[in-house]
Amino acid sequence: MRSSSSNQHIVNFGRRPPLSLLLLCFICAVVLIVVLGSSSSNTLDTLASSPIPDFYKNYRRLKEQAATEYLEIRSLSLGITNTREFDLCGKDRESHVPCYNVSANLLAGFHDGEEFDRHCEVSQVGQRCLVRPPKDYKIPLRWPAGKDVIWSGNVKITKDQFLSSGSMTKRLMLLEENQIAFHSEDGMNIDGVKDYSRQVAEMIGLGSDSEFHQAGVHTVLDIGCGFGSFGAHLLSLNLMTVCIAAYEVFGSQVQLSLERGLPAMIGDFISKQLPYPSLSFDMVHCAQCGITWDEKDGAFLIEVDRLLKPGGYFVLTSPTSKPQGGSLNVKKGTVFTPLEEFTQKICWSLLAQQDETFVWQKTAEVHCYASRKQGGVPSLCKADYDAQSYYQPLRSCISGTTSKRWIPIQNRSAGILPEDFLEDSEVWRSALKNYWSLLTPLIFSDHPKRPGDEDPLPPFNMLRNVMDMNAHYGGLNAALLEAKKSAWVMNVVPIRTSNTLPLILDRGFAGVLHDWCEPFPTYPRTYDMLHANGLLSHYSSGHCDISDLFLEMDRILRPEGWVVLRDKLQAIEKARSLATQIRWEARVIELQNDNDQRLLVCQKPFLKK
């Protein structure tokens, strides 16, 4: 990708003497003439009552460049911009994940496994720089080819680790030259994942795994997912499956899953709750996930109970050859006796056991908890306990029983309905159509387009991993599904905003709570597109540095990935300046009938040195 001519233009302005009021007025006049002169030749699709109006689909580069340069000059005149570009980080930070520093955690006094947990409070502020890709990094193959073949240089895994992998999914990989291939879902059923999925379905009482939806299973949390083969199969059945696994320096399950285009994030059960509210998932799955479930007085099982919706399922597979945590043994009458006893105390029913696989079902009856009188029964949490579920300590009480969302998964019709979001859906349907028309390198071309030329549509599969950094109701996710784009969305609900995550999860989407003053729990280069509507204004109060937010966005964005920001004019002015420092190519787009809002569309270049 070429270097941005507009970026160089900004640097030149920065070297000139301070701008006079006369120059600023002159530029404003030029912009006004250009805008008014071209408005008659552009036909606009308007959305009169929409909070996100349509913007120019057929625009001329001259008008766009004038608007961009106006904002650049205005930023300079207000002293907003610092045009010094950030340096590139060293090779040691190519796969850096902040907040997971084992050495620092040990020094801070964390032990008994907690040193491997997320501790942003003890992480030292490192060098503020741009994380570069590894030497052998290549742009991932487009979906669906990228699901089965990835570049080995894109992930941090050694040959020895590859050969020693022993879990159900790890051993399914084939290492060939510079690629890692996974067994496809098509053709011969070599890997056993389909058979395993059918087995679980039969244990629930279904005829096949294609009937999971009939049992109310729409969303699955896969703990310690290997490298995603089970989740990939469930996604082919239209089940939203999110992988979580502990941070790993090498051979990360989360990194490889995301590289395959499968939903995943770093998370574990060591000492803290996961950043999801109560009643979030229809099924929680663990196949040799490394958790000793009978430790900490059942705290891990209580956390699973918190995450499960009423009537949801917990699937545990523990191969005889590899006992979990050194203490688990699948012989009934030894280790699983305490497990069975505790699951009865928290109102779970053991539906079935086949070989090494066990399936429990959480009760759908609230009164069940109060009726348990035997010793050691967990108490019920206070009503306000789930107001904030952002990395709180593991608790010993049962939560969610007073929630209005206590609805059995088998009664899904009583939950969120598409018609509940008709107005919001129309807004995002229009917005996505316009976004898609802008996601093309032609908007950064040095050659103005001929009048009347429309932007060619980008390839339908150019995006796979999408993050909505301020997801609201999940409208962008819904629009992508309706448009049949082959993308999934990590819907992020920032803390200190209205907590709409329960609603997003009830729509069957992936989502998580997050504080954008902290790094996101993922590896570098794991998202194709970042979208944020109103996020910059929300974080403009000064409780964290917006430049750190942009550095974090650059860390998790893949080379040649896209950023779409919609916000107030002043926030976009600052964002345009920061995009220059981050070395992104950027354009400011005006919105129809909304003088206080702008759209900033950016693309990250492929920087190697």
Side-chain angles (χ1 to χ4, degrees):
M1 175 169 301
R2 69 175 187 83
S3 57
S4 172
S5 60
S6 60
N7 290 355
Q8 183 63 45
H9 185 62
I10 296 175
V11 172
N12 291 338
F13 266 113
R15 293 171 181 167
R16 294 179 181 177
L19 296 171
S20 66
L21 180 61
L22 181 61
L23 176 59
L24 183 59
C25 292
F26 173 75
I27 295 295
C28 293
V30 171
V31 171
L32 184 62
I33 293 172
V34 171
V35 171
L36 293 178
S38 61
S39 61
S40 60
S41 63
N42 288 283
T43 302
L44 306 178
D45 297 323
T46 59
L47 198 60
S49 60
S50 167
I52 305 180
D54 286 351
F55 46 80
Y56 294 100
K57 181 178 180 182
N58 303 324
Y59 59 88
R60 294 179 181 174
R61 178 167 161 62
L62 178 62
K63 176 181 177 181
E64 177 192 285
Q65 185 67 22
T68 299
E69 291 184 355
Y70 163 70
L71 289 182
E72 292 169 358
I73 296 172
R74 177 179 165 89
S75 297
L76 284 166
S77 67
L78 295 176
I80 294 176
T81 246
N82 176 3
T83 57
R84 184 179 180 276
E85 293 181 340
F86 285 98
D87 296 327
L88 298 181
C89 301
K91 183 178 176 62
D92 59 316
R93 293 171 66 94
E94 288 177 352
S95 298
H96 177 62
V97 180
C99 299
Y100 292 91
N101 188 323
V102 177
S103 299
N105 293 342
L106 286 170
L107 290 174
F110 293 102
H111 52 84
D112 295 333
E114 293 187 14
E115 66 270 22
F116 300 101
D117 210 341
R118 173 185 173 90
H119 297 287
C120 296
E121 68 278 8
V122 301
S123 296
Q124 295 182 352
V125 178
Q127 180 186 3
R128 303 176 80 240
C129 55
L130 305 178
V131 176
R132 73 177 81 190
K135 178 181 177 181
D136 298 328
Y137 184 86
K138 298 179 183 294
I139 300 299
L141 301 175
R142 297 305 184 193
W143 184 271
K147 176 173 67 71
D148 297 322
V149 179
I150 65 175
W151 301 110
S152 57
N154 289 12
V155 294
K156 200 170 183 181
I157 184 170
T158 66
K159 186 175 182 180
D160 290 341
Q161 287 175 319
F162 183 89
L163 295 175
S164 64
S165 298
S167 74
M168 178 178 67
T169 52
K170 286 185 180 180
R171 66 171 178 262
L172 308 179
M173 300 186 296
L174 298 174
L175 186 60
E176 298 177 355
E177 296 183 356
N178 60 348
Q179 292 182 335
I180 299 176
F182 299 82
H183 291 309
S184 173
E185 293 293 333
D186 302 322
M188 296 181 63
N189 182 24
I190 302 174
D191 55 22
V193 172
K194 290 183 180 180
D195 285 340
Y196 175 74
S197 178
R198 281 194 291 266
Q199 176 187 346
V200 172
E202 291 170 359
M203 294 174 72
I204 290 175
L206 305 175
S208 71
D209 55 2
S210 62
E211 299 176 4
F212 273 129
H213 283 275
Q214 298 178 24
V217 179
H218 299 262
T219 56
V220 179
L221 183 68
D222 194 5
I223 305 172
C225 56
F227 294 141
S229 291
F230 184 58
H233 176 67
L234 294 183
L235 282 171
S236 72
L237 301 176
N238 295 320
L239 273 67
M240 172 48 67
T241 305
V242 179
C243 160
I244 63 162
Y247 170 72
E248 300 166 278
V249 178
F250 292 95
S252 165
Q253 303 169 70
V254 170
Q255 187 183 36
L256 267 81
S257 294
L258 286 163
E259 193 67 23
R260 297 182 65 186
L262 305 173
M265 60 174 282
I266 301 173
D268 53 48
F269 283 64
I270 295 175
S271 62
K272 299 178 181 178
Q273 295 178 346
L274 294 173
Y276 310 114
S278 295
L279 317 180
S280 292
F281 295 95
D282 305 316
M283 177 184 287
V284 175
H285 173 261
C286 159
Q288 195 184 337
C289 59
I291 296 175
T292 308
W293 292 101
D294 57 346
E295 284 189 347
K296 294 194 175 183
D297 299 323
F300 301 143
L301 290 171
I302 291 177
E303 173 66 357
V304 173
D305 183 87
R306 186 184 75 84
L307 297 173
L308 275 176
K309 295 180 180 178
Y313 304 95
F314 176 54
V315 180
L316 173 62
T317 296
S318 176
T320 305
S321 59
K322 285 212 105 171
Q324 298 182 40
S327 67
L328 284 182
N329 189 311
V330 297
K331 292 181 180 179
K332 193 172 180 179
T334 57
V335 170
F336 272 98
T337 296
L339 267 179
E340 289 177 332
E341 289 179 354
F342 194 83
T343 55
Q344 290 177 3
K345 293 177 181 179
I346 58 175
C347 293
W348 289 7
S349 301
L350 180 61
L351 295 185
Q353 173 188 352
Q354 291 185 19
D355 302 321
E356 301 93 3
T357 300
F358 296 73
V359 176
W360 284 272
Q361 185 174 26
K362 175 179 176 175
T363 184
E365 304 295 333
V366 176
H367 65 80
C368 176
Y369 298 102
S371 67
R372 300 294 162 108
K373 302 297 183 182
Q374 64 266 39
V377 176
S379 61
L380 301 182
C381 299
K382 296 180 179 179
D384 61 349
Y385 168 69
D386 283 313
Q388 181 61 269
S389 321
Y390 187 67
Y391 295 111
Q392 296 295 308
L394 289 173
R395 303 293 180 92
S396 58
C397 58
I398 299 295
S399 60
T401 56
T402 60
S403 171
K404 296 180 180 178
R405 298 170 57 239
W406 187 278
I407 302 172
I409 63 173
Q410 293 78 10
N411 298 342
R412 177 62 60 138
S413 60
I416 301 299
L417 301 175
E419 48 265 34
D420 295 336
F421 297 94
L422 286 178
E423 182 177 353
D424 187 69
S425 297
E426 181 61 32
V427 168
W428 284 104
R429 188 181 300 118
S430 175
L432 177 63
K433 182 179 179 181
N434 289 318
Y435 288 170
W436 212 257
S437 71
L438 291 173
L439 300 185
T440 165
L442 283 185
I443 69 169
F444 301 120
S445 172
D446 283 327
H447 305 287
K449 291 179 293 183
R450 293 187 299 273
D453 283 357
E454 293 188 3
D455 296 320
L457 293 178
F460 77 97
N461 58 351
M462 65 176 293
L463 302 176
R464 176 60 187 172
N465 300 352
V466 176
M467 177 183 287
D468 194 347
M469 300 172 66
N470 191 19
H472 301 287
Y473 302 123
L476 177 63
N477 195 151
L480 284 164
L481 288 175
E482 182 180 325
K484 300 188 184 305
K485 304 297 184 184
S486 57
W488 68 273
V489 180
M490 179 62 76
N491 294 281
V492 181
V493 175
I495 65 170
R496 293 185 289 271
T497 64
S498 177
N499 188 1
T500 56
L501 185 56
L503 186 150
I504 290 171
L505 295 170
D506 287 348
R507 298 184 76 176
F509 303 157
V512 67
L513 286 171
H514 184 64
D515 183 354
W516 280 115
C517 291
E518 301 175 355
F520 191 81
T522 191
Y523 292 81
R525 302 170 298 279
T526 44
Y527 284 89
D528 302 306
M529 175 179 166
L530 305 177
H531 171 268
N533 177 19
L535 181 70
L536 302 181
S537 294
H538 173 68
Y539 279 92
S540 63
S541 58
H543 57 272
C544 56
D545 194 331
I546 294 296
S547 62
D548 289 333
L549 173 62
F550 272 70
L551 286 169
E552 174 63 4
M553 292 166 65
D554 185 81
R555 184 185 73 87
I556 67 178
L557 187 65
R558 285 176 175 163
E560 299 187 7
W562 296 89
V563 177
V564 178
L565 303 175
R566 182 182 186 273
D567 220 303
K568 296 179 179 178
L569 174 60
Q570 186 174 4
I572 291 298
E573 287 176 356
K574 185 170 184 179
R576 178 66 181 85
S577 173
L578 287 170
T580 301
Q581 294 179 260
I582 299 295
R583 311 188 189 193
W584 292 348
E585 307 277 0
R587 284 292 181 270
V588 178
I589 309 297
E590 292 188 357
L591 298 174
Q592 174 69 358
N593 295 332
D594 198 336
N595 295 328
D596 192 41
Q597 298 281 320
R598 294 292 187 275
L599 196 75
L600 183 65
V601 181
C602 310
Q603 188 176 31
K604 176 180 175 178
F606 198 151
L607 298 175
K608 286 192 174 182
K609 58 183 180 178

